[in-house]
């Protein structure tokens, strides 16, 4: 609930409106998981709140740590579905990558999440609570100062819930995280991008992955609905204060989209747009026909972009060994009861 909703709720119980700010501070700034802990509320208010309301707490099933320090947190939702968040280490802080849906219905050909199918949208509470749990129930929590909506799911396919979650995350009484510290990544739902530009101030990242419609249609079915021209038009409409740019994520797949000619096509298509490219080598996963590119191909691709004055950063994929890297999240876990290596499907 937003501050205004909690205010209306406590008022409906006959209590003072300012209690809402106290409650939010306890949950988001002190990590309280029950009303009983809220000692500046009178005993009577605590009792009424505990009777009429409930503080959701996602269950942390397990945390896995990669050789490179990346941590994947597996959460169980109240209906038993599993979702994942990823903590990514930086030089002096942590970035948290959260999920917005249980599964995904966008069907990108290179994505492990897509294989699990789609179960349902996450509610605002389930999006926000991934951050609350990471912040207060992991060692790294105090060091989190960047948030990316890039985990399982397509955020703009769950627009209203995601926007409400962002409002709570931004709120001074909520997690108090500035929109400049938040990046939303989309596969290219053009109308959603335009709406987001009008209704929020978060950074925009677009998962691009192909230099033309023919290949993008094959890799990302959403392109058949919103082809590159529509996507670029939506990106152009996205408000960008000074020094901000749209990030295009480009997963390089051997022999599919990684040639210097493909890079030249990007230069031609995206010249004139305030943007930068994040290049990511494809992360292979079991049963996937695509291969990781040769390091020399990555270098040659990057050189074309840089030579044409684009910023093109090669992102080291983190957490590959625990399937926490880009496109590898699945909400699956290994069957613990048998101890086998078989992957057991939980949701969707
Ligand atoms: S890449 Fe993103 S949008 Fe595409 S299927 Fe995977 S989670 Fe969904």
């Amino acid at each position: 609930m937003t501050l205004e909703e909690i205010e209306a709720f406590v008022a409906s119980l006959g209590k003072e409106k300012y209690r809402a700010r106290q409650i939010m501070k306890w949950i988001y700034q002190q990590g309280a998981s029950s009303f009983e802990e809220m000692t500046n509320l009178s005993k009577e208010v605590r009792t009424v709140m505990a009777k009429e309301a409930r503080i959701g707490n996602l269950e942390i099933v397990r945390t896995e740590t990669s050789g490179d320090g990346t941590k994947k947190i597996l959460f169980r939702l109240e209906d038993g579905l599993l979702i994942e968040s990823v903590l990514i280490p930086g030089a002096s802080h942590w970035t948290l990558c959260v999920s917005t849906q249980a599964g995904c219905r966008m069907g990108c050909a290179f994505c492990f999440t897509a294989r699990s199918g789609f179960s349902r949208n996450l509610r605002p509470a389930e999006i926000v609570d991934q951050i609350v749990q990471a912040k207060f129930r992991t060692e790294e929590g105090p060091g989190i100062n960047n948030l990316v909506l890039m985990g399982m799911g397509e955020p703009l396919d769950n627009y209203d819930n995601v926007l409400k979650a962002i409002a709570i995350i931004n709120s001074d009484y909520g997690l108090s995280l500035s929109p400049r510290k938040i990046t939303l990544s989309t596969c290219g739902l053009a109308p959603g991008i335009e709406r987001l530009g009008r209704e929020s101030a978060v950074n925009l990242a677009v998962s691009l992955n192909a230099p033309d419609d023919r290949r993008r249609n094959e890799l990302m079915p959403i392109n058949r609905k919103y082809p590159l021209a529509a996507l670029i038009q939506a990106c152009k409409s996205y408000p960008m204060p000074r020094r901000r740019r749209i990030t295009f994520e480009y997963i390089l797949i051997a022999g599919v989209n990684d040639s210097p000619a493909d890079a030249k096509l990007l230069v031609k298509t995206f010249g004139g747009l305030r943007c930068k490219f994040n290049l990511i080598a494809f992360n292979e996963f079991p049963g996937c026909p695509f291969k990781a590119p040769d390091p020399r191909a990555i270098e040659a691709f990057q050189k074309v972009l840089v030579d044409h004055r684009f910023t093109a950063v090669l992102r080291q994929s983190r957490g590959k060994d625990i399937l926490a890297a880009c496109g590898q999240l699945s909400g699956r876990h290994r069957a613990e009861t048998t101890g086998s290596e078989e992957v057991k499907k939980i949701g969707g």
Side-chain angles (χ1 to χ4, degrees):
M1 293 166 101
T2 60
L3 175 65
E4 295 74 24
E5 286 172 333
I6 301 179
E7 281 175 346
F9 182 72
V10 292
S12 75
L13 298 176
K15 306 294 167 212
E16 306 89 339
K17 248 169 83 173
Y18 72 87
R19 297 290 185 200
R21 294 197 289 275
Q22 292 177 316
I23 290 168
M24 277 190 88
K25 281 186 167 181
W26 272 108
I27 295 173
Y28 297 113
Q29 292 168 17
Q30 308 288 332
S33 56
S34 72
F35 293 105
E36 203 41 51
E37 294 164 57
M38 302 181 184
T39 46
N40 59 353
L41 267 57
S42 68
K43 177 88 185 134
E44 195 239 333
V45 172
R46 280 182 270 161
T47 308
V48 171
M49 287 304 295
K51 187 161 163 272
E52 301 294 335
R54 180 168 70 81
I55 301 169
N57 275 298
L58 293 184
E59 179 197 346
I60 297 182
V61 178
R62 189 176 56 225
T63 304
E64 287 177 81
T65 306
S66 155
D68 63 23
T70 302
K71 301 201 169 193
K72 182 166 78 170
I73 310 169
L74 184 71
F75 289 110
R76 193 188 324 273
L77 307 178
E78 285 177 355
D79 57 6
L81 290 173
L82 298 177
I83 57 162
E84 291 168 338
S85 303
V86 181
L87 275 161
I88 307 148
S92 58
H93 64 266
W94 289 80
T95 295
L96 180 68
C97 173
V98 300
S99 296
T100 54
Q101 296 179 312
C104 185
R105 58 181 150 203
M106 295 296 128
C108 301
F110 50 81
C111 176
F112 197 34
T113 306
R115 306 251 164 146
S116 311
F118 174 74
S119 296
R120 68 172 172 83
N121 284 329
L122 297 190
R123 300 195 313 268
E126 293 167 329
I127 298 168
V128 174
D129 205 16
Q130 292 171 66
I131 311 161
V132 173
Q133 297 300 325
K135 185 173 165 184
F136 293 104
R137 325 272 182 254
T138 71
E139 269 174 42
E140 300 75 20
I144 297 172
N145 77 344
N146 273 316
L147 180 69
V148 290
L149 303 167
M150 275 186 207
M152 296 166 68
E154 161 55 52
L156 298 182
D157 189 37
N158 184 15
Y159 188 95
D160 292 339
N161 288 352
V162 165
L163 222 68
K164 187 168 170 184
I166 289 174
I168 296 165
I169 294 161
N170 290 161
S171 164
D172 288 345
Y173 299 101
L175 287 156
S176 200
L177 195 64
S178 146
R180 282 179 293 113
K181 300 278 187 187
I182 303 172
T183 301
L184 181 148
S185 175
T186 174
C187 67
L189 275 75
I193 292 174
E194 287 165 3
R195 190 175 162 200
L196 186 74
R198 291 192 297 274
E199 298 178 357
S200 97
V202 298
N203 299 302
L204 178 68
V206 176
S207 184
L208 185 65
N209 310 316
D212 56 31
D213 280 325
R214 181 183 59 79
R215 273 171 291 175
R216 200 159 191 271
N217 285 346
E218 280 168 25
L219 291 173
M220 306 181 75
I222 192 67
N223 197 71
R224 292 177 209 151
K225 195 162 181 196
Y226 305 113
L228 281 176
L231 176 60
I232 290 169
Q233 194 49 44
C235 289
K236 282 186 176 160
S237 77
Y238 200 79
M240 275 182 293
R242 271 189 325 130
R243 303 223 306 254
R244 260 176 153 188
R245 287 176 289 179
I246 293 178
T247 302
F248 287 107
E249 295 145 4
Y250 194 101
I251 298 178
L252 290 152
I253 306 173
V256 174
N257 62 0
D258 65 339
S259 74
D262 294 333
K264 283 185 191 148
L265 209 46
L266 285 184
V267 169
K268 201 170 149 214
T269 312
F270 290 88
L273 201 65
R274 260 168 61 198
C275 64
K276 64 174 178 173
F277 288 90
N278 276 352
L279 306 176
I280 305 152
F282 177 67
N283 297 306
E284 295 176 19
F285 56 82
C288 178
F290 299 125
K291 294 278 168 260
D294 188 287
R296 282 167 303 184
I298 301 175
E299 219 174 281
F301 193 96
Q302 184 181 24
K303 186 168 183 314
V304 172
L305 293 173
V306 172
D307 285 351
H308 287 83
R309 307 175 70 85
F310 278 99
T311 302
V313 184
L314 179 61
R315 308 295 290 200
Q316 295 302 330
S317 230
R318 318 295 296 257
K320 280 193 275 194
D321 50 338
I322 54 167
L323 287 183
C326 294
Q328 289 188 324
L329 298 185
S330 69
R332 294 170 176 211
H333 74 156
R334 291 174 196 280
E336 287 159 318
T337 46
T338 61
S340 86
E341 289 294 294
E342 178 201 352
V343 176
K344 182 181 175 191
K345 185 171 180 188
I346 301 299

